[in-house]
Amino acid sequence: MVDEDISRRTIALSIRTGKLTARALAWALRAAGRKIQKERQTHKAPHGRQSVKQLMKQGEATNSLSVEAPREFDRVARRWNVDYAFYKNGDGKYLLFFKSKQADAITACFGEYSRRVLDRPRARRVPILERMKRAGELLRQRPQKERAKEAEREER
């Protein structure tokens, strides 16, 4: 039993070098550490916002809701630590996919999201193109000054 634990924790590292220095050994150990970390990351399931493909790949049942402001939902969902994905299905319309296991957390999260969306005013900001058009109209309406250049030459 003890031998199994030791053998599972042992790492074999081989290096081809002319002279083994502390720097070369440190470099090899860092490279081995990076490789181990990379393998661990590939086996972990992603959390939070992810693609629909990643969410479906986890093999769990999913549900969906329609959402209008995904950026606002992102801000709220980070607090609730839920796994979700967006799918765009029209102009300004998104489907929110989430795991069925997390339905309670999503319900609470969606409640806070809907309160935020309903509380914010519809026309809070005027789009930049409209502001530029208005500024252009104001400039056209303003009377323009005629500039006349007078060249005065002094007689020598």
Side-chain angles (χ1 to χ4, degrees), residues 150-154:
E150 296 178 13
E152 294 181 16
R153 295 184 181 180
E154 291 182 19

Side-chain angles (χ1 to χ4, degrees), residues 81-149:
N81 197 21
V82 292
D83 298 336
Y84 61 97
F86 289 112
Y87 179 76
K88 189 171 185 175
N89 63 347
D91 293 331
K93 299 286 183 176
Y94 294 86
L95 274 178
L96 167 72
F97 287 94
F98 59 94
K99 293 181 181 178
S100 297
K101 283 184 184 178
Q102 298 177 336
D104 295 334
I106 286 285
T107 304
C109 182
F110 203 74
E112 186 177 336
Y113 159 76
S114 58
R115 264 184 262 125
R116 280 187 174 200
V117 169
L118 291 175
D119 286 347
R120 72 175 185 193
R122 284 279 181 204
R124 183 176 62 192
R125 273 191 270 168
V126 180
I128 189 80
L129 287 175
E130 287 185 26
R131 282 191 272 167
M132 289 174 62
K133 286 179 184 176
R134 287 181 193 168
E137 289 173 9
L138 288 174
L139 285 174
R140 282 188 218 116
Q141 290 174 359
R142 195 182 314 167
Q144 294 181 355
K145 296 178 184 177
E146 291 184 25
R147 296 181 181 179
K149 292 184 180 180

Side-chain angles (χ1 to χ4, degrees), residues 48-56 62-65 67 70 73-74 82-88 94-99 106:
R49 185 174 181 170
Q50 45 197 291
S51 69
V52 176
K53 190 175 184 179
Q54 286 175 327
L55 191 67
M56 297 295 182
T62 57
N63 289 341
S64 63
L65 294 169
V67 175
F73 186 84
D74 274 340
V82 292
D83 298 336
Y84 61 97
F86 289 112
Y87 179 76
K88 189 171 185 175
Y94 294 86
L95 274 178
L96 167 72
F97 287 94
F98 59 94
K99 293 181 181 178
I106 286 285

Side-chain angles (χ1 to χ4, degrees), residues 18-30:
K19 182 178 180 183
L20 185 64
T21 61
R23 184 176 289 164
L25 185 60
W27 179 85
L29 289 175
R30 276 196 304 266

